[in-house]
Structures are given as structure tokens and as C-alpha cells.
Amino acid sequence: MESSDSASEEERFVLSLDVGTTSCRAVLWDREAKMVGSVSVPLDVTGTDGKATQDAEGLVASTVRAIKKVIKKAKLSPSQVDSLGITTQRCSFLIWDKATGKALTPLVLWSDMRSRARVDLINYAWSTSTLRVLATVGYFFSRKRQLQYASMFKVTTHFIPLKLQLVLATNPALRKGIEEGRYLFGTTDTWLVWNYTSGRVYATDYSNVSATGLYDPYDMKWSDDIIPMLLGGYFIPTKLLPEIRDTSGDWGFCDETLFGAKIPIHAVVGDQAASLFGHCAWNKGDCKMTLGTGGFLDVNTGDQCLANTQHLYPLIGWKIGNEINYMLEA
């Protein structure tokens, strides 16, 4: 195909949305994987004293604007878009009202440093040291990788539970609303999908949830034993957390009033996992380095969730059907 100007009504396209920290980009591809249109929209980051946030509703509006612009730029009809895939920044979160859809907090970004003092307190606490010792002994006898990882347990400011604890501590009404099921908690991907589907889909994918510090990638379940500790004894019932769906699969349809057609969402994935996959690093041992707002080294570890003595974090890269692909990240 020569250009987007020659696109006919019969042709079908795939739309990808990349939501980063400082910009979002919508790109259209034809069936031969040729780019037929690309639009980037800047995103504002605000905050002082180590805080880093974005206007959650403004983020949705910016992504919608990028998608509408790229469809118009390619001179296509929205009905020609066969599929939408979404990749987002990970470890950013917010709380919103389930009934009204109104964001009750800004999007607290992955780069937010408000939990730094709490991170240092946990990492150097006697209880954490005791956990490491017990895990080391347990690993010696059992050789369980979970215990090997726990023997080197170290939290970072990226961990959502620590920042969530601070947000809830300053606003008890938010905590009460979550406990009663009136308010929803989610990461960037969950928030966007919930808005695109007009609240019909409340879900996240394995690559995003495994990076939050709320999920155990070894046992493939919410970290019931770790969450209360990181939240200062507060526990979020798992029934109130988003459904976890395969990275590639059925994510519902965008509401027709949003883009002018019921565009199906077929993939949701965290940014670094998307980068690993997009670089064709599909085999065990393959790796990639991404240099953006942050620098990330990711190594494909195949179907094994490994621990590493150099403090690389075990994460889920993607889950497609019965295939689960893991990675280590620094």
C-alpha cells in the first residue's frame, strides 16, 4: 500500500496505543504490518516533594484524542479498525467511583517517590532481616524459588502497596469506599479499559499485575501474605481487585459513542513486556534494554519464574492461552 491516502473502505487495520509517562502514541498498521498513521499526544506530570501524578480523566481524554486523530489522519473509518492493543506504563494507580466513573485520586505514577522513607524502613527493619534469614534456611531445604526470592526480599518505591497505604491513610473515606465495594482500585491499563468499555470490563493483565507488588508470580495469585504487611495491616479483599485476564484475548469492545464504532480490544500488556515481545525476544535468554523516562533491562526466562542474586525482579512477561512467559527485570 502506497500511503494512508489510498486506504480503501475494504481494508482492515490494527490499532496500537502506547501510554507512557510523558506522552501517548496511537499507531495504525495494515495487514502487512506497515505503519499507515501515527499520532503522539503529550502528557503532563505534576507534583512536588517527590510526588509524581497525572490527571486521570485528562489521561483518558488524551488517549481518546490520539486515537481519533490517527484514524482521521489515515483517512479511515473507525469501523475499519479490527483490533485495539493497549500497552501502558506499569505500577501507576488510582481510585475511582464505581457508580459515577469519577476519579477520586490522581493517577499516582510509578516514578512517584512519596514512599521512600517507608521503603527504607522496611528494607532495614529487623522483621525484614528475619524474613530473609528464615527464607534462606527454607530455600536450603526445599529449593523453592519463592523462598530464594524472599531471601533477598527488597521493596522499592515502585511498589504500589506502600504508596497506596499513604493515600488511604490520608483519606479514610477512600478506604471505607473500597471495603464497601463502592470505589474501585486499578492501574493505568485497568482505568483505560474500564473507561473504553463504559465500565463493562474491570480487569488487568498478568504483565501489569505482576509488577505491582500485589501479586505472587510464582503461585499465580494475589499476595495475601505480603499485602497486609506492606499496607500496615490493612487488607484489600481480593474480590474487590480487578479480574486478571490473558495478555491477548477478549477484553470487550470500546463503546461505540467513543470512536464511532465498537472497536474490539484484543490485547493489554505492560510497557516493558510489550517491548520485549515487540523486539522478538521470544526465546529464553533473549533480552532487551529500553531507555526512556527510565532505563529497563529485561531478560526472557521462558516458562520459569526465576530468582536472581543481583536483585533482578521476577515478573510475568505475558500469558497467552496456556503459555506463560516470565522475565527478570532490572
Side-chain angles (χ1 to χ4, degrees):
M1 187 167 66
E2 186 178 59
S3 71
S4 60
D5 292 344
S6 60
S8 69
E9 194 66 29
E10 289 73 34
E11 291 170 324
R12 316 297 293 178
F13 300 85
V14 171
L15 173 64
S16 64
L17 177 68
D18 179 6
V19 183
T21 307
T22 57
S23 68
C24 63
R25 181 180 296 274
V27 183
L28 277 165
W29 311 85
D30 67 12
R31 288 186 177 275
E32 297 179 350
K34 293 180 181 178
M35 185 189 300
V36 297
S38 176
V39 168
S40 179
V41 173
L43 301 173
D44 292 328
V45 177
T46 59
T48 58
D49 299 325
K51 295 180 180 179
T53 62
Q54 285 176 336
D55 174 33
E57 292 169 0
L59 174 66
V60 174
S62 293
T63 61
V64 169
R65 186 161 66 252
I67 290 173
K68 287 182 174 180
K69 279 187 174 182
V70 77
I71 293 174
K72 182 177 180 180
K73 181 180 180 180
K75 298 182 179 179
L76 302 179
S77 163
S79 61
Q80 289 179 264
V81 180
D82 264 352
S83 179
L84 167 63
I86 303 171
T87 180
T88 66
Q89 51 174 287
R90 303 163 305 166
C91 300
S92 301
F93 71 93
L94 76 154
I95 297 170
W96 68 94
D97 189 298
K98 183 178 181 180
T100 66
K102 180 178 175 58
L104 302 174
T105 70
L107 186 70
V108 180
L109 298 182
W110 63 273
S111 55
D112 188 287
M113 299 290 287
R114 72 182 70 188
S115 62
R116 180 184 292 174
R118 178 71 175 155
V119 165
D120 291 340
L121 183 64
I122 290 177
N123 285 336
Y124 295 104
W126 68 268
S127 57
T128 305
S129 298
T130 302
L131 171 66
R132 294 186 186 122
V133 171
L134 293 175
T136 300
V137 174
Y139 175 68
F140 178 80
F141 288 105
S142 70
R143 314 311 290 179
K144 289 185 177 181
R145 291 194 179 96
Q146 296 98 314
L147 294 176
Q148 183 185 18
Y149 174 65
S151 70
M152 301 172 286
F153 180 73
K154 185 178 181 181
V155 299
T156 73
T157 53
H158 294 169
F159 275 44
I160 284 180
L162 303 180
K163 287 181 277 197
L164 179 59
Q165 180 192 28
L166 295 175
V167 170
L168 295 177
T170 57
N171 194 335
L174 290 179
R175 174 180 295 194
K176 189 170 186 288
I178 290 177
E179 291 172 344
E180 294 175 349
R182 294 184 291 108
Y183 299 161
L184 298 177
F185 158 85
T187 46
T188 310
D189 58 309
T190 306
W191 170 241
L192 290 177
V193 171
W194 193 88
N195 275 277
Y196 287 177
T197 62
S198 293
R200 296 182 184 90
V201 178
Y202 176 52
T204 185
D205 101 295
Y206 285 91
S207 66
N208 277 290
V209 74
S210 71
T212 62
L214 293 165
Y215 191 79
D216 182 348
Y218 294 98
D219 289 336
M220 298 290 287
K221 67 181 184 67
W222 293 102
S223 301
D224 297 340
D225 49 349
I226 298 297
I227 295 176
M229 183 184 78
L230 297 181
L231 285 177
Y234 176 60
F235 177 70
I236 302 176
T238 55
K239 68 178 182 179
L240 301 180
L241 293 170
E243 173 193 355
I244 304 171
R245 295 193 178 188
D246 283 6
T247 303
S248 178
D250 180 11
W251 286 80
F253 292 83
C254 296
D255 193 284
E256 189 172 3
T257 60
L258 205 57
F259 302 115
K262 294 177 64 175
I263 299 174
I265 305 171
H266 284 151
V268 174
V269 61
D271 53 3
Q272 300 311 316
S275 177
L276 189 70
F277 192 94
H279 279 86
C280 301
W282 302 327
N283 300 313
K284 186 175 180 178
D286 289 349
C287 64
K288 65 83 186 170
M289 169 68 84
T290 299
L291 299 175
T293 306
F296 296 88
L297 171 67
D298 294 277
V299 182
N300 188 326
T301 61
D303 60 0
Q304 293 182 305
C305 188
L306 302 178
N308 183 276
T309 57
Q310 302 303 313
H311 298 290
L312 274 70
Y313 288 91
L315 300 171
I316 300 170
W318 52 83
K319 182 178 183 296
I320 303 174
N322 294 323
E323 175 195 348
I324 303 175
N325 209 103
Y326 296 91
M327 64 187 195
L328 284 173
E329 181 170 279

